[in-house]
Amino acid sequence: MVLAKINTSSVFLVSGGGRGITAECVIRLAQKYQCRWILLGRSRIADAEPAWAEGCTDPADLKKRIMQAMQAQGEKPTPMAVQKQFNAITTSRDIRKTLETLQNIGSPAEYVSVDVTDLATLKEELAPVVDRMGAITGVIHGAGNLADKWIENKTEQDFENVYATKVQGLDNLIHCIPIGQLDHLVLFSSVAGFFGSAGQADYAIANEILNKSAHLIKLHHPECHVVSINWGPWDSGMVTPELKRAFARRGIEVIPIEVGTQMLVNELNARYHDQAQVVIGSPIVPPPADLDGELRSYRIRRRLTVEANPFLRDHVIGGNPVLPATCAANWLISLCTQLHPGYLFSSLENFKVLKGIVFDGTQAKEFVADVQEVGKTHSEEVHFEVRLWSEQDNGKIRFHYSGQVKLRQELSPPPVHLISKFATNSTKSGLSYYQDKTLFHGATFQGIREVLEADDRQLRVQCYLPSLNPRHQGQFLADAFNPYMADVLIQTVLIWLKEQHQSGALPTEIQQITQFKPLPFDRPIFALMETKVKTSTSIIYNVTACDEDGTIYLHLSGVKATISDRLSQLFGTLVSSHS
Amino acid sequence: MLKPLPDPDWLDVPRPTSPVCILTDDGSPMTTKLADSLTHQGWKVVVLSFPVTIVPRKSALSPGVERVILEDMSETHLQTQLTTIATRYGVGDHGRGSEIGAFIHLNPLFSFSRQAGLVYDVAERAIAKCVFLIAKHLKPSLTTAAQTGRSYFLTVARLDGVFGTSHEVNFGAIGAGLFGLTKTLNQEWTQVFCRAIDLAPRLDPEVSAQCILAEMHDPNLSLMEVGYSSQGRVALIAQT
């Protein structure tokens, strides 16, 4: 397939292209390609401005002159009538400016005043322009209408107006110009469609239809470069400085005109020929819901199988898959974060492995989590008590895990601890520990890459895990908390014990997991493991994990592990105990 | 891009205090199956059927499942029928508008031949507008019901089960609008459980009903749309 490139003889038809953001996009493309333009808009442009308006750009002054002119003609200058004339004059000016700019660039352009929702007139008006400009090779559907209000205040007419410009408009455009003749078809959609947008139910509907229309057009015309662009808010007249500040507080970025128009140019690159839908910019999502004072309890069930959780095959002890403690922590944590969208995992305290889940064929099919909200503080923090249990065949309850989860609207800024800076030359490959079965973990969990330093108190390692396919993560997705990287941190104790000629160990308790940022895949992480208390049967240690810049992601404090010879045997090797 | 999702966990939802569930009739056995499952869960199911000019067939209903018919697609008639449902079947706290605790829209299957190209179907457009107006008029009921339990606004479309990204099925484009509506309501009605579901047209009615029921019990409130197909359960996310 030969992909068409835009050149000086390309002819683009642009709805809503006379002014505003769409016109800015047209100008940017014209600068790049000097192609030909047919711009459509509902507004009429006056042939010439009345003499009294010429050169007057100050809004207040212009309005004053409109009033005077109306009075001179014996008309009553109501605020509405004045605004109408004012809009007509400024709109005409905007459109003329767009056309002038295009002319200066060397891009031939014509403006056609027509409503895209009116098929008959559209056809009629387009025919003579196409005769002059040449056959249309690309369409940009930028026209749109808003009727922002809450759903209960919407009218049927709001729906019709907003829907018609976007959807009927597209339908009409492709009725006039068969898609088969188009090299490019660009639909201006919105993040309102992709993420939803409070106050814009009709607009979201229309834009989602455009999004899926792009996919359908790709099905019918694979040769056409069709793309629906879900634009975030632009830094234009529509966004006031106050709104911009409000957006900034909520982490919503506005698209600078320079950047957005260049993104469109990039999007039309043949490289992205098969990308039917893109999102450019931030979603306009409301801040997380305010917390009411009520403390709720939830009972949430999960069925567990090894088949649905392929990673378990890389966590086998004594022949049976065992749920890693960090995955159980992830279970407790994600139940809480899912109940409070917008809130982030901050800490897990008093996490206890009461009876780990071993997939030996006798395990329960269903596990039950009792999630209890125990505190909500100044609408910023939610605390939970979570207990996970299953019912045995004899009807008795068996508790598996418990802990207290804290979510916060904002996490404290991560502290800095430069673990990596102390790197020595005497590093040892982490892989050897997996090979000699000091670490029993399979590929999913083989994240200790280098042992940087080990002494009788601590161990420093470099860790890394490549990103894991979500299907492989099964029911334990590394979203709110990455249990796979966290397990790698837990593993450090096994290397330390081995270096101290000790047996294997498994975690039974973590006093506190504090998260500043979720641990990433695909990125080197440095971890410092420090032993706190060590007896012949147990060890208590801390682990701090940071990136190469020293930014701390996670801190584990008071990890308690049980040491036993039997574990070493189960791991697949006997560690020679020193006598 | 598509993000694979595991099967949802199951939240034990207490028996709704506003137990009327309005279910639109897609004219297929899916309505029958879902109505039965919901009845089994403790809901009083009222099936709302569209005029024959819009959806030619009406699904068979089991005893105990009620049917209310829209004779035309006007907003006033819709309002009348919604009021009828609330007064006739609602056993909630009358006068507080909390009789209806759930609304589930099953969009009829609009599937076209490849030759038909991109289709904006007139009937599907009428349905989309009707669901938009239903949302408008059910807002008081659903938001009030949310104060005492989980209330629902669900839309079920049959694109291709992967949000239209398969480029294999010529589905009706207007059904896609339901996702925009439901995601918006999820922001406007923070206490109401809103979810848009895309089911592959080939999914069996029984399986489809189970999927919808499973979604209704999902504890995850950050998920707004979900698809089911031979690729499993998926979400659509923006690649960064």
Side-chain angles (χ1 to χ4, degrees), chain A residues 64-342:
Chain A
K64 201 171 123 198
R65 293 191 198 187
I66 293 169
M67 271 168 67
Q68 287 164 348
M70 287 177 86
Q71 277 162 343
Q73 289 179 2
E75 287 171 41
K76 192 161 179 271
T78 63
M80 226 166 93
V82 172
Q83 187 65 41
K84 201 177 157 196
Q85 267 218 41
F86 176 82
N87 290 347
I89 291 172
T90 51
T91 302
S92 285
R93 283 180 181 175
D94 288 348
I95 297 167
R96 270 200 297 267
K97 188 161 166 252
T98 303
L99 293 171
E100 270 167 34
T101 310
L102 290 173
Q103 200 174 12
N104 293 340
I105 292 168
S107 243
E110 282 198 41
Y111 179 79
V112 183
S113 164
V114 65
D115 183 349
V116 281
T117 66
D118 176 356
L119 180 59
T121 317
L122 183 65
K123 262 189 179 157
E124 202 179 293
E125 295 280 337
L126 275 183
V129 195
V130 170
D131 284 345
R132 289 193 293 273
M133 299 291 275
I136 292 165
T137 59
V139 168
I140 300 175
H141 182 36
N145 243 341
L146 291 177
D148 293 6
K149 43 183 105 150
W150 302 118
I151 185 82
E152 64 269 31
N153 300 325
K154 296 266 186 195
T155 64
E156 225 175 319
Q157 200 52 51
D158 291 331
F159 178 92
E160 294 293 348
N161 291 346
V162 174
Y163 177 94
T165 312
K166 287 263 175 196
V167 184
Q168 192 64 54
L170 173 61
D171 201 15
N172 290 349
L173 288 170
I174 59 184
H175 259 96
C176 294
I177 314 106
I179 303 174
Q181 87 173 49
L182 293 178
D183 298 325
H184 299 94
L185 174 53
V186 182
L187 310 178
F188 277 17
S189 178
S190 159
V191 289
F194 192 76
F195 298 100
S197 173
Q200 300 192 310
D202 36 24
Y203 193 62
I205 291 172
N207 282 304
E208 271 288 72
I209 296 175
L210 290 196
N211 288 337
K212 307 308 179 202
S213 295
H215 287 292
L216 287 167
I217 290 166
K218 199 78 218 170
L219 160 73
H220 299 304
H221 301 277
E223 70 291 347
C224 174
H225 185 161
V226 55
V227 60
S228 182
I229 304 181
N230 292 241
W231 293 111
W234 285 72
D235 188 1
S236 71
M238 308 274 274
V239 180
T240 61
E242 298 91 79
L243 189 55
K244 211 152 98 177
R245 277 195 293 275
F247 278 169
R249 276 198 298 275
R250 283 152 56 191
I252 299 168
E253 287 170 30
V254 292
I255 306 168
I257 288 177
E258 291 285 300
V259 175
T261 52
Q262 184 56 43
M263 300 278 266
L264 175 64
V265 170
N266 299 348
E267 213 45 66
L268 287 182
N269 190 298
R271 214 174 342 152
Y272 303 118
H273 185 271
D274 294 324
Q275 214 166 66
Q277 184 181 1
V278 297
V279 177
I280 300 180
S282 306
I284 306 178
V285 287
D290 277 343
L291 298 168
D292 56 15
E294 201 177 323
L295 299 174
R296 296 178 178 81
S297 296
Y298 306 87
R299 178 160 287 181
I300 299 165
R301 299 166 192 276
R302 179 177 293 184
R303 290 177 164 266
L304 278 188
T305 59
V306 175
E307 293 67 45
N309 296 286
F311 70 85
L312 285 170
R313 300 199 190 282
D314 283 334
H315 202 266
V316 174
I317 303 172
N320 295 316
V322 174
L323 187 72
T326 53
C327 285
N330 167 279
W331 190 346
L332 270 51
I333 292 161
S334 58
L335 288 177
C336 299
T337 54
Q338 289 180 2
L339 290 166
H340 287 275

Side-chain angles (χ1 to χ4, degrees), chain A residues 2-7 10 33 183-184 270:
Chain A
V2 180
L3 299 181
K5 290 215 174 85
I6 307 173
N7 56 42
S10 301
Y33 296 111
D183 298 325
H184 299 94

